[in-house]
């Protein structure tokens, strides 16, 4: 449909392009305008840069781990360079510290804040048609708390390192001479950042929804963000208290976790997993919201089972608090307790399966466009399904006894967290990149990056399921020669995955300088963020946008003349076009 063929009584709604004064990226310049900004979009962009740098550091550490495991006796950290760099440390000690920092940085600095803090900050107010979040100053302070937490992790890296694993398990974490206190202090500060962000989103979504946007007319990304925020606010304080107790145990020996002082290390595991299992859903629930948007928009079809997807987000958030014990089947809990935790674990699979079923039903008979975001969304469904199904083996008592602390757990965890959260994050970045920065990227190279990431990821982690089922324990720096072939395959896969991620990064960065201007609505979506210009103006909308069905694509039409999607809707006469026949009484005539 072209603009010239608009039916009588209808008009085309297209905001065009922003002027430099309107554009939130250019309406004020200088480092200080960014450092002290209260604009949720700029804060979201700063988070995006921060989590991306964290991911780069954690990813390089992961490549170091895989290269070391290329040979049964270890390769990389046996190298003469590392002997020169750290003459006092054995290769196995370096390996322990590298995998600990990889896990801690990846979990606390990237996976947890990536979608909620970076993309949520940018998108939540725009999706609501609002000017900002409810508490802009709290929003900026949460970002600086994240920076402070990251600084503590870097200081731990530069000091004596950290070798406890990202879980800080006692009693080892109470006795090791590495930088446990510095790292846990960093995690404690990051917890406050997470709580502030979650609180802000809850209040924003509760109080700033525009007239007409009822709970069941909200985009599913907002439902996922809301559910995630509830977990952040309720569960994160438990982690904070646990880490404070761990610091007190190390410094004052108060006898809570350390058996030498009549403490119980299993108590630490209960505290830690009571937070950390819900935290798994802090990581994956926003990804579910992203995929719901991507599948619907790029299938150009109404989402199937909207209410079931919305309710399943809440169900996952609530059930996530009840299943922490399945991490501890081998820790010595009673038989009845383990049976209850096992049964509860299986209940979580129901709302998760509902989401996957509804995404597939949405794609069925949809007009699917294999754009870069859609390629990542399809990859997500494939990878998350494998991660979910293999989780059943770990939720089952008999098989978990065999697979506990093996590479099977490593593979399952990475299929859920990396194959889920990272791939959804990449899909989201490619989907909303034109909106955030006003530039289109090279579609072909974006699709190539998605294919390389998918192949590299599977080549990395599928062999690890076999390794684990054959008894290869995780966190070991050396292994029996019989595992060498599968480890080598996994290392080649990690290198291929790194190439795919590097291609994705280059595609996006090049678009900033050479990409063509993005229209307001490049994908033909119906949620409110696509009703403003790309990039959005400083206050997002000139006037409050008209709320419609977020998944009604009937009035989004392809305009061949301007080569973009536009919204066609009935004309609304807001200004009288004829002079009144009689002057009003107060005119004095």
């Amino acid at each position: 449909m072209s603009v010239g063929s608009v039916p009588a009584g209808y008009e085309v709604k297209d905001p065009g392009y922003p002027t430099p004064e309107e554009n939130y990226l250019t309406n004020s310049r200088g480092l200080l305008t960014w450092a002290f900004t209260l604009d949720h979009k700029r804060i979201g962009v700063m988070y995006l840069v921060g989590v991306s740098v964290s991911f780069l550091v954690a990813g390089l550490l992961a490549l170091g781990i895989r290269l070391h495991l290329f040979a049964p006796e270890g390769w990389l950290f046996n190298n003469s360079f590392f002997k020169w760099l750290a003459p006092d440390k054995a290769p196995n000690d370096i390996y322990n510290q590298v995998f600990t920092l990889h896990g801690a940085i990846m979990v606390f600095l990237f996976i947890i804040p990536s979608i909620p803090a970076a993309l949520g900050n940018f998108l939540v107010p725009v999706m609501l048609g609002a000017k900002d979040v409810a508490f802009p100053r709290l929003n900026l302070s949460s970002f600086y708390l994240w920076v402070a937490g990251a600084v503590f992790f870097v200081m731990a890296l530069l000091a004596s390192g950290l070798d406890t694993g990202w879980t800080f398990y006692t009693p080892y974490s109470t006795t090791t001479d590495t930088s446990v206190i510095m790292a846990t202090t960093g995690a404690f500060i990051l917890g406050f950042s997470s709580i502030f962000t979650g609180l802000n989103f809850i209040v924003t979504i509760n109080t700033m929804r525009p007239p007409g946007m009822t709970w069941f007319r909200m985009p599913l990304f907002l439902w996922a963000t809301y559910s995630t925020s509830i977990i952040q606010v309720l569960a994160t304080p438990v982690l904070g208290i646990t880490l404070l107790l761990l610091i007190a145990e190390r410094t004052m020996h108060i006898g809570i976790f350390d058996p030498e002082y009549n403490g119980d290390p299993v108590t630490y595991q209960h505290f830690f997993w009571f937070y950390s299992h819900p935290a798994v859903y802090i990581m994956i629930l926003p990804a579910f919201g992203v995929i719901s948007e991507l599948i619907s928009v790029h299938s150009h079809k109404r989402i199937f089972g909207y209410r079931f997807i919305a309710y399943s987000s809440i169900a996952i958030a609530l059930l996530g608090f009840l299943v922490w014990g399945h991490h501890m089947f081998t820790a010595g809990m009673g038989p009845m307790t383990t049976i209850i935790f096992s049964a509860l674990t299986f209940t979580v699979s129901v709302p998760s399966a509902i989401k996957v079923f509804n995404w597939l039903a949405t794609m069925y008979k949809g007009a699917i466009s294999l754009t870069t975001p859609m390629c990542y969304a399809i990859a997500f469904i494939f990878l998350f399904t494998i991660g979910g199904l293999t989780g059943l083996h770990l939720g089952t008592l008999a098989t978990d006894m065999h697979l506990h602390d093996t590479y099977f757990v490593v593979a399952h965890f990475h299929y859920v967290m990396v194959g889920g959260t990272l791939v959804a994050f990449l899909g989201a970045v490619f989907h909303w990149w034109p909106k955030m920065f006003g530039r289109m990227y090279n579609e072909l190279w974006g699709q190539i990056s998605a294919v390389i990431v998918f192949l590299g990821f599977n080549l990395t982690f599928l062999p690890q399921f076999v390794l684990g089922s054959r008894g290869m324990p995780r966190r070991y720096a050396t292994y029996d020669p019989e595992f060498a072939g599968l480890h080598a395959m996994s290392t080649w896969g990690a290198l291929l995955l790194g190439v795919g991620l590097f291609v994705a990064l280059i595609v996006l960065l090049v678009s900033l300088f050479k990409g063509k201007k993005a229209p307001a609505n490049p994908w033909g979506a119906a949620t409110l963020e696509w009703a403003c210009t790309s990039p959005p103006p400083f206050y997002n909308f000139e006037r409050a946008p008209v709320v419609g069905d977020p998944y009604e694509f009937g009035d989004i039409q392809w305009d061949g003349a301007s080569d973009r999607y536009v919204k066609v809707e009935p004309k609304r006469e807001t200004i009288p076009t004829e002079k009144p026949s009689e002057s009003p009484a107060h005119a004095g005539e």
Side-chain angles (χ1 to χ4, degrees):
M1 175 177 189
S2 70
V3 175
S5 60
V6 177
Y10 285 77
E11 62 181 342
V12 170
K13 291 284 186 182
D14 181 59
Y17 298 99
T19 64
E21 292 74 25
E22 294 171 335
N23 182 345
Y24 83 97
L25 291 169
T26 57
N27 70 341
S28 60
R29 297 178 186 276
L31 188 60
L32 290 180
T33 65
W34 280 83
F36 296 105
T37 184
L38 298 181
D39 182 6
H40 68 96
K41 299 183 289 298
R42 286 193 171 194
I43 294 172
V45 170
M46 291 195 293
Y47 263 119
L48 183 63
V49 173
V51 298
S52 299
V53 171
S54 302
F55 176 74
L56 179 64
V57 173
L60 290 174
L61 292 171
L63 278 179
I65 295 167
R66 288 308 327 162
L67 287 173
H68 185 73
L69 295 172
F70 198 69
E73 295 303 319
W75 179 71
L76 183 65
F77 304 129
N78 294 339
N79 194 288
S80 56
F81 172 75
F82 284 93
K83 290 179 180 173
W84 169 80
L85 187 67
D88 299 332
K89 290 187 177 178
N92 291 355
D93 292 336
I94 299 175
Y95 173 85
N96 288 340
Q97 297 197 3
V98 168
F99 88 72
T100 295
L101 286 166
H102 158 70
I105 294 174
M106 194 67 92
V107 169
F108 292 115
L109 294 178
F110 173 69
I111 296 181
I112 287 179
S114 59
I115 298 179
L119 298 174
N121 257 309
F122 191 96
L123 292 171
V124 166
V126 194
M127 279 185 160
L128 290 170
K131 290 181 179 178
D132 211 318
V133 292
F135 307 118
R137 285 181 173 78
L138 189 68
N139 199 20
L140 182 62
S141 65
S142 71
F143 171 72
Y144 282 114
L145 282 173
W146 181 89
V147 172
V151 168
F152 272 88
F153 270 100
V154 173
M155 289 167 63
L157 173 65
L158 296 177
S160 53
L162 184 70
D163 64 352
T164 60
W166 72 274
T167 54
F168 308 114
Y169 267 5
T170 57
Y172 182 70
S173 59
T174 61
T175 57
T176 177
D177 57 358
T178 55
S179 304
V180 173
I181 293 179
M182 207 172 287
T184 49
T185 304
F188 181 79
I189 295 171
L190 291 170
F192 270 98
S193 171
S194 184
I195 292 170
F196 286 176
T197 301
L199 185 66
N200 219 338
F201 287 162
I202 289 174
V203 177
T204 301
I205 294 173
N206 268 324
T207 62
M208 299 179 71
R209 280 179 290 119
M213 184 178 282
T214 60
W215 283 100
F216 292 107
R217 294 187 84 181
M218 281 202 315
L220 287 166
F221 180 76
L222 294 184
W223 269 101
T225 304
Y226 193 80
S227 307
T228 305
S229 300
I230 292 173
I231 302 175
Q232 285 175 298
V233 172
L234 295 181
T236 310
V238 179
L239 176 69
I241 293 167
T242 307
L243 295 178
L244 281 181
L245 289 174
L246 176 57
I247 292 172
E249 185 73 301
R250 273 187 69 96
T251 54
M252 295 182 281
H253 309 299
I254 55 178
I256 296 179
F257 304 131
D258 192 344
E260 186 178 348
Y261 303 99
N262 296 323
D264 181 4
V266 178
T267 303
Y268 175 86
Q269 293 189 37
H270 279 290
F271 283 166
F272 181 84
W273 286 115
F274 183 80
Y275 160 78
S276 294
H277 195 79
V280 169
Y281 299 108
I282 293 176
M283 305 176 206
I284 198 67
L285 266 174
F288 289 159
V290 165
I291 297 303
S292 296
E293 301 297 332
L294 266 54
I295 292 290
S296 176
V297 170
H298 296 277
S299 298
H300 303 283
K301 188 181 169 193
R302 170 181 287 280
I303 193 78
F304 181 85
Y306 171 95
R307 290 198 179 217
F308 283 101
I309 295 179
Y311 284 135
S312 64
S313 294
I314 298 293
I316 290 172
L318 298 178
L319 290 172
F321 282 96
L322 306 177
V323 296
W324 78 90
H326 71 222
H327 294 273
M328 302 166 57
F329 286 158
T330 60
M333 292 190 298
M336 182 54 69
T337 307
T338 54
I339 290 171
I340 291 172
F341 276 122
S342 177
L344 287 171
T345 299
F346 278 84
T347 61
V348 182
S349 63
V350 175
S352 303
I354 286 173
K355 288 182 183 293
V356 175
F357 172 79
N358 282 300
W359 293 330
L360 295 176
T362 303
M363 293 169 64
Y364 179 66
K365 290 189 176 181
I368 296 173
S369 301
L370 282 177
T371 55
T372 304
M374 190 62 174
C375 291
Y376 278 109
I378 293 172
F380 170 93
I381 294 176
F382 186 87
L383 300 177
F384 179 75
T385 302
I386 291 179
L389 291 175
T390 52
L392 298 178
H393 296 76
L394 301 175
T396 305
L397 290 171
T399 48
D400 182 74
M401 294 294 171
H402 172 66
L403 298 171
H404 185 79
D405 260 349
T406 68
Y407 261 79
F408 191 95
V409 178
V410 178
H412 160 72
F413 182 80
H414 282 81
Y415 262 91
V416 175
M417 292 296 98
V418 182
T421 306
L422 173 63
V423 170
F425 174 74
L426 290 170
V429 168
F430 275 99
H431 181 69
W432 280 293
W433 187 266
K435 178 58 60 182
M436 297 176 81
F437 298 103
R439 296 287 173 179
M440 300 300 294
Y441 48 81
N442 187 299
E443 189 60 53
L444 176 61
W445 278 104
Q447 293 163 329
I448 289 173
S449 77
V451 172
I452 297 175
V453 166
F454 179 76
L455 295 176
F457 182 88
N458 282 296
L459 187 58
T460 305
F461 294 106
L462 269 178
Q464 295 184 9
F465 283 122
V466 183
L467 279 170
S469 61
R470 291 182 181 178
M472 171 73 206
R474 62 173 174 166
R475 297 172 175 166
Y476 276 51
T478 58
Y479 52 87
D480 289 340
E482 64 178 294
F483 297 125
L486 290 168
H487 269 298
M489 195 184 300
S490 186
T491 301
W492 285 115
L495 293 170
L496 184 62
L497 177 59
V499 170
L501 294 170
F502 181 73
V503 172
L505 176 66
I506 295 300
V507 168
L508 294 173
L509 291 180
V510 168
S511 75
L512 293 177
F513 303 99
K514 296 188 175 179
K516 68 176 184 179
K517 278 188 175 181
N521 192 358
W523 314 121
T527 41
L528 286 184
E529 77 271 24
W530 304 104
C532 64
T533 57
S534 301
F538 183 73
Y539 287 118
N540 299 339
F541 297 94
E542 197 173 314
R543 58 176 61 89
V546 177
V547 175
D549 187 327
Y551 301 105
E552 174 53 58
F553 299 102
D555 53 357
I556 307 293
Q557 305 287 342
W558 176 255
D559 178 8
S562 57
D563 194 27
R564 60 192 181 196
Y565 285 98
V566 294
K567 189 168 187 176
V568 179
E569 58 184 29
K571 281 186 179 176
R572 292 183 175 87
E573 300 294 344
T574 56
I575 301 174
T577 55
E578 296 181 1
K579 188 177 179 181
S581 57
E582 296 182 1
S583 299
H586 63 266
E589 296 181 2

